[in-house]
Each structure stands twice: as structure tokens, then as C-alpha cells.
Amino acid sequence: MALKITEFFGFAPLDSAAAPFISGLKCPFVGDKCIKPTLGACAVEPLELAEPVMCCPNRMYGENFLALKDLAEEAFGAGCTLIKPSEAQERIAGLGAALTGNEIVVFGKYWGKELPLPRPKGKGARSASTYYVDWVLARLNAAGELSEIIAVEVQTIDTTGSYRDQAETFFDGKPFTGGSTRSPEFSNAGMNWENVNKRILPQLIYKGHVLRREDLCKKGLFFVCPKQVYDRIRDRLGGHLHDYKPGQGTITFRSYELGPQGASGTHRAMTLHGQFTTTVDQVALAFTSPMNLPDADVYAAAINKALAI
């Protein structure tokens, strides 16, 4: 278990272009405060993968929210325009440019208004945070009426252990060489892949069921994540899911990856890696009845081996 920071406040560690973002503790991808200011890591490289893994959700909004723009065109067709809720209100009131029917209103953080939703019913409603999604993209027709919506969840991956030692040396403007003798550039931290099983998939199943009850959510739930999380999800679900077109009651998994490090002062390019769509029911069944199980009696074999029987 070991990893190293490959993007520090948006750039390669010690790249001078990161200096104003480091001093202001700002994120270069959303133009706001860094949400992990004591670490500053946008992407890390696990020793066993030897490729960058996006570990901060805001990194997924690189290239001026490319992932949301891609999704809008995927769901609503080419030529759509993303606008803030405040701009939509002005246009509906006749105070701005006329609506064309290609406007997509973005509800979410950094776009002016997050969408308030009522709490779920029942005794456990107070703690039911899984009711919410990160983004709702709402299409308006030329009359300003709501015609269709999609919901978007964005997840990266958490880490285990700590790489704070690296961050501290980068804040001091020095290279990190304090790791193990085998890998001095790496801290003793790792990726929390088990979160795919414990948190990500259960939340997606729940939210998928909520959204299938929305008449205007005609293409279901979209889940945007790094390539490595996408690969883990496909492995966990067993690779036997039927493919569907986006529709009510579907979940579309959509992943991005980072390209190689470019010249100093540049960000790594973020490109689409893969996509597949299946139903909420297919995901729930595969999650609770996995097909990729180990051989029978593996525990007994391991005990016998440990005892040399």
C-alpha cells in the first residue's frame, strides 16, 4: 500500500504555476476554495497502478465542467447550452435573450443554486442524506416550461492511511523523498476501493429507485467517476449486466481518465474513458447476488494451509 501525489493544486508538484492557488488555497478547476486545503491533492498515483487516479470530486469538473457539458449533449442532443438558474429566471421573465428550447438549467454547487428537496418520509428521514444527488440538469422548452431532467452523481475515491507528509513538503516547496527505501517518493497510504461496495453502489441503487418515480427523468441517473472506480464497479457487478439505452429506471456509468503530464504550467487532459447503461434492478441483483465468487470452501483451504494440514 503506497501512493504519491501527482497533482497538487492542479499541477505537477513543485510546478511554479500552482503558486497562486497554493497561497490562496484555491481550486484551479472551479475557481473556489479548495475542499481539501491541508492536502491539496487533486490526483494520486497508487504504486500498484502506476497511473493517476482523481481523488477529489472537483477535479472531475476540469476543463470548465467538461463532464457536465458532455452529459448534457449525451442526454439532450448537440447544441444545448448550460445556464445558471438565475439566468433561466431572467429569460422566463422576458428580461434576457429569448429561450430556444435548447437551454439546460444546472442545479448544483458553483452554479448559483443547489436544488432543495423535501426529506424522505418515515422515522429515519432526518438522517437520510442519500436522498440528494450532486447535480440536476433541467431542460426548458421555448415557453420556459420544464420538459425533461436528468440527475447526475459524481464520485471519485477516498484514500486510506495518510499522505500528509508529502503535502507538507510540497507546501514548503521541496521534493518528497521521505517514503520507504523501496519507494521513497511514495507515502504509506492507499485507495479505499471497498467504498465501491460499502457506500457507492448502495447509494446509486437507492437514488435510482427514487428517480424512476420522476415522470420527467426520462433517461435516469448518470454516475460520473474516474476510470479506476468504473473498472472496480464493473468487476464488482460481475460483468454480466444487460446493456440498455438510458431511460426511466436506468443508471448510466460514465468514466473519465487523466492523460500524461504535459509541459510545465498545464493541467493533465481529462478524457472520456467508457460508458455503459443498465437498469437499477440489474445493478441491485448483481450487487446482492454476485456471480464472480471465489471457489467453494476457500476458507477451509486457507485454514488448512495455515495449519499445514
Side-chain angles (χ1 to χ4, degrees):
M1 184 173 71
L3 59 76
K4 66 177 180 181
I5 297 173
T6 55
E7 282 188 335
F8 189 65
F9 286 91
F11 299 88
L14 307 184
D15 189 328
S16 60
F21 300 101
I22 296 172
S23 62
L25 299 179
K26 289 189 66 176
C27 171
F29 301 109
V30 299
D32 208 329
K33 293 180 179 179
C34 175
I35 59 176
K36 298 180 180 180
T38 61
L39 296 174
C42 313
V44 297
E45 180 182 307
L47 183 62
E48 70 274 14
L49 290 181
E51 61 184 13
V53 180
M54 289 178 275
C55 62
C56 177
N58 281 357
R59 182 61 179 93
M60 301 293 298
Y61 307 138
E63 300 174 50
N64 196 21
F65 291 87
L66 173 67
L68 293 185
K69 292 178 180 178
D70 283 353
L71 263 182
E73 295 208 346
E74 173 76 15
F76 305 119
C80 57
T81 303
L82 303 186
I83 63 174
K84 294 182 178 181
S86 57
E87 183 180 350
Q89 289 175 311
E90 290 176 358
R91 293 197 186 192
I92 291 171
L95 303 177
L99 292 166
T100 66
N102 290 322
E103 287 79 15
I104 312 300
V105 186
V106 181
F107 290 94
K109 193 175 182 181
Y110 309 119
W111 281 75
K113 182 180 289 187
E114 295 182 66
L115 196 63
L117 293 171
R119 292 189 180 276
K121 300 175 182 178
K123 294 181 179 179
R126 185 169 296 179
S127 61
S129 60
T130 55
Y131 187 74
Y132 303 93
V133 292
D134 294 319
W135 302 90
V136 174
L137 305 188
R139 183 170 193 165
L140 303 179
N141 63 22
E145 299 165 335
L146 182 62
S147 62
E148 188 176 351
I149 65 174
I150 62 170
V152 184
E153 189 76 0
V154 177
Q155 290 276 359
T156 49
I157 191 69
D158 294 330
T159 56
T160 59
S162 175
Y163 51 90
R164 189 179 298 275
D165 49 357
Q166 287 185 60
E168 290 175 351
T169 61
F170 295 151
F171 273 117
D172 291 338
K174 301 174 183 178
F176 177 74
T177 57
S180 67
T181 55
R182 182 171 68 93
S183 50
E185 296 179 354
F186 289 76
S187 296
N188 292 321
M191 313 305 294
N192 189 5
W193 300 120
E194 186 56 28
N195 252 359
V196 170
N197 302 328
K198 292 191 300 184
R199 185 167 63 88
I200 293 177
L201 284 173
Q203 284 192 16
L204 290 179
I205 293 167
Y206 177 85
K207 292 173 183 178
H209 280 299
V210 170
L211 290 162
R212 77 192 310 175
R213 292 160 53 88
E214 294 286 327
D215 287 342
L216 294 182
C217 192
K218 300 173 184 177
K219 296 184 176 70
L221 172 64
F222 287 80
F223 177 67
V224 179
C225 64
K227 162 189 177 289
Q228 296 82 6
V229 175
Y230 174 92
D231 291 341
R232 290 304 190 287
I233 287 175
R234 298 218 65 170
D235 288 345
R236 174 61 179 82
L237 296 178
H240 300 289
L241 299 176
H242 295 300
D243 205 2
Y244 289 76
K245 292 182 179 180
Q248 281 189 303
T250 64
I251 300 177
T252 298
F253 297 86
R254 191 174 174 91
S255 67
Y256 285 81
E257 61 184 327
L258 294 178
Q261 182 64 55
S264 176
T266 62
H267 303 299
R268 291 176 183 259
M270 191 176 78
T271 57
L272 183 66
H273 161 255
Q275 174 175 306
F276 82 97
T277 302
T278 191
T279 65
V280 177
D281 296 329
Q282 289 269 312
V283 173
L285 180 62
F287 181 66
T288 56
S289 304
M291 300 299 293
N292 54 343
L293 297 174
D295 293 336
D297 298 320
V298 291
Y299 280 93
I303 293 171
N304 287 334
K305 183 177 180 180
L307 299 176
I309 295 177

